[in-house]
Amino acid sequence: MSDVTVFALKDGLLRTSPRLEQFWATFGKAPMAALKGARAEGDALRVDLLPIDEAVLARMVALRAEGKPVAIDASGAPELAKAVAAHYGFDTVTDFAGKAEKSAEGWSVKSLLKAIRPHQWVKNVLLLLPLLAAHQFNAISIMQALLGMVAFSAAASSIYVVNDLLDLEADRLHPKKCKRPFASGTVPLSVGMLTGLVLVCIALGVGAYLGPQFLAITVLYVFVSVTYSMRLKRMRWVDIFMLASLYSVRVVAGAAAAQVAVSAAMLFFIFPVFLTLGAVKRLTELTLAKNDERLPGRGYSRLDRGKLLNFSVVSMVAALAIFYLYSLSAQARALYPDRWFLWLAIAPLAAWLWRMVRLGYYGKQDYDPIVFALRDKRGLGLIMITLSLMFYAAGLWAQWFGF
């Protein structure tokens, strides 16, 4: 077979690393086995989903059409190479001593930026909520909260990278997520792993600068997020409570960064709000699903839309009830002299929550409700009305502007 044209598997026909693909497929099921280099039972890679370099495949097909022998170098990963070759109708060669042809395509920084999802950093505006609740707007507190947002943005991006590496197969089965950089092969898995490590180091470094309490919360956030990515997001209902918890941790982190107190009443209020948004996230995914099968990597199917709608409505009502009960508390009487404005704020708050539920049920929002909420002009208008009424009830407008 001296005249055969041999193509490499890694960086050739495949736009990914077979070794790292196998590592992450195993790591999601059996982390210790993956770290030892073993393979978990039932974690064979689906060759029909692996990202292919279309230009290389087209050249191989063209050479075969011309009657020239074509093969894939199976030296590095013989089992996978044979499976890929069988799937596309090619031969394999082992112990190839020559130079296998590779792809000329590289990766871009733009694709890597897409992988770390900087647009998702907007969710860390939640770290500013404790300052709003405490009516503390001095420069030092704001700067510390902004640094906290930097730490959580880096931590979140590192988790997005890990999540995408764990979800390679599930993402490739998704109509939109299949275009993500690691799933599509536009960014090497090794680059993603290095990027995730750098980002988590940034998060921990900034966290250490802000103090041991904030650092501990950052470590907790990373640990829970990884646990969520590996296991909990596949568990029905548990995943929604975990989403709400991860949103709530941001609020607690904001209080730790700015060194302001976060009241139990606030946490009791925001948690059902985040439960509502977590259910809305799943509602949106199910509404946009193409069939009635369970979502890849999730525990829900479109048959669960009714249950999720009921759950989101109950959570919404619970949040509004807690808000009203809080308005009757001694703390509310001290912070909000004109409490009837606080009661008026319930109306736009309820309208905003219902809008989020309704749009999620009909699939008319983004896959992430927090990101959507911060881009939705009508929703933002309702939020601003709510905050304006709360500020008026607190006497802040009179303090700032004299009315």
Side-chain angles (χ1 to χ4, degrees):
M1 297 184 68
S2 58
D3 59 341
V4 66
T5 303
V6 179
F7 288 82
L9 186 65
K10 177 187 176 184
D11 299 325
L13 181 59
L14 287 187
R15 300 180 64 178
T16 188
S17 165
R19 179 177 61 84
L20 294 180
E21 286 275 348
Q22 192 63 66
F23 171 82
W24 285 103
T26 302
F27 191 81
K29 299 175 183 178
M32 295 307 299
L35 293 174
K36 293 177 181 178
R39 179 186 297 184
E41 184 178 352
D43 69 340
L45 300 176
R46 284 188 54 175
V47 297
D48 59 315
L49 296 178
L50 293 175
I52 297 295
D53 189 312
E54 297 295 342
V56 173
L57 179 60
R59 185 159 184 269
M60 294 175 71
V61 172
L63 287 172
R64 186 173 58 183
E66 295 172 5
K68 299 177 180 179
V70 179
I72 297 173
D73 182 12
S75 302
E79 292 183 13
L80 183 61
K82 291 177 182 178
V84 171
H87 181 74
Y88 290 99
F90 298 108
D91 296 321
T92 59
V93 293
T94 55
D95 301 322
F96 181 63
K99 186 177 181 180
E101 297 197 19
K102 293 189 175 185
S103 171
E105 287 192 23
W107 60 276
S108 66
V109 174
K110 183 178 179 180
S111 296
L112 181 60
L113 287 175
K114 184 179 178 182
I116 65 177
R117 306 179 208 174
H119 66 282
Q120 295 278 2
W121 294 348
V122 71
K123 289 192 292 189
N124 293 316
V125 73
L126 295 174
L127 274 77
L128 299 176
L129 284 183
L131 277 72
L132 292 174
H135 307 159
Q136 186 164 324
F137 305 107
N138 62 77
I140 294 177
S141 296
I142 292 174
M143 286 302 300
Q144 288 176 319
L146 292 176
L147 278 176
M149 291 173 65
V150 171
F152 261 67
S153 294
S157 287
S158 70
I159 300 303
Y160 295 143
V161 170
V162 172
N163 183 70
D164 286 357
L165 292 172
L166 289 169
D167 275 357
L168 290 170
E169 183 174 306
D171 284 350
R172 288 164 183 159
L173 291 168
H174 195 278
K176 289 188 177 181
K177 295 178 182 180
C178 62
K179 297 178 182 179
R180 287 178 172 175
F182 305 128
S184 63
T186 55
V187 175
L189 304 188
S190 57
V191 173
M193 294 168 68
L194 178 60
T195 302
L197 179 61
V198 170
L199 287 168
V200 79
C201 288
I202 292 172
L204 296 178
V206 177
Y209 173 78
L210 289 172
Q213 186 178 16
F214 182 86
L215 177 61
I217 295 171
T218 305
V219 171
L220 175 66
Y221 171 78
V222 171
F223 175 78
V224 174
S225 296
V226 171
T227 305
Y228 171 78
S229 295
M230 294 183 63
R231 288 285 185 273
L232 301 179
K233 68 181 180 182
R234 297 175 177 83
M235 301 173 64
R236 288 162 54 92
W237 308 112
V238 172
D239 66 323
I240 294 177
F241 280 88
M242 291 308 303
L243 280 172
S245 298
L246 290 172
Y247 290 143
S248 300
V249 165
R250 285 176 164 91
V251 178
V252 177
Q259 297 181 9
V260 299
V262 58
S263 67
M266 182 182 183
L267 295 176
F268 278 123
F269 163 67
I270 63 171
F271 192 74
V273 170
F274 292 146
L275 284 177
T276 302
L277 298 181
V280 165
K281 179 179 175 69
R282 294 291 174 250
L283 269 176
T284 303
E285 292 173 342
L286 292 176
T287 302
L288 297 176
K290 301 297 184 181
N291 52 54
D292 289 337
E293 296 180 1
R294 285 191 175 186
L295 294 173
R298 301 292 186 270
Y300 305 92
S301 70
R302 286 200 297 193
L303 301 177
D304 294 310
R305 287 178 71 228
K307 296 177 183 177
L308 283 166
L309 176 62
N310 292 337
F311 183 88
S312 61
V313 171
V314 169
S315 299
M316 179 187 74
V317 172
L320 295 173
I322 292 171
F323 186 92
Y324 174 73
L325 292 174
Y326 168 72
S327 72
L328 303 178
S329 68
Q331 184 183 49
R333 287 196 297 271
L335 288 175
Y336 300 96
D338 295 320
R339 281 187 303 154
W340 68 277
F341 279 103
L342 202 60
W343 298 328
L344 285 178
I346 294 176
L349 177 61
W352 174 72
L353 286 170
W354 176 243
R355 174 177 174 79
M356 293 294 292
V357 172
R358 181 173 58 83
L359 293 179
Y361 185 76
Y362 290 110
K364 294 183 179 180
Q365 63 167 276
D366 191 83
Y367 282 102
D368 193 301
I370 298 291
V371 174
F372 173 80
L374 294 172
R375 294 176 177 174
D376 177 32
K377 293 181 180 179
R378 293 186 180 180
L380 284 173
L382 292 170
I383 292 174
M384 294 307 295
I385 292 172
T386 303
L387 291 176
S388 296
L389 290 169
M390 293 179 68
F391 287 169
Y392 202 94
L396 293 177
W397 290 134
Q399 179 182 332
W400 293 340
F401 305 111
F403 62 85

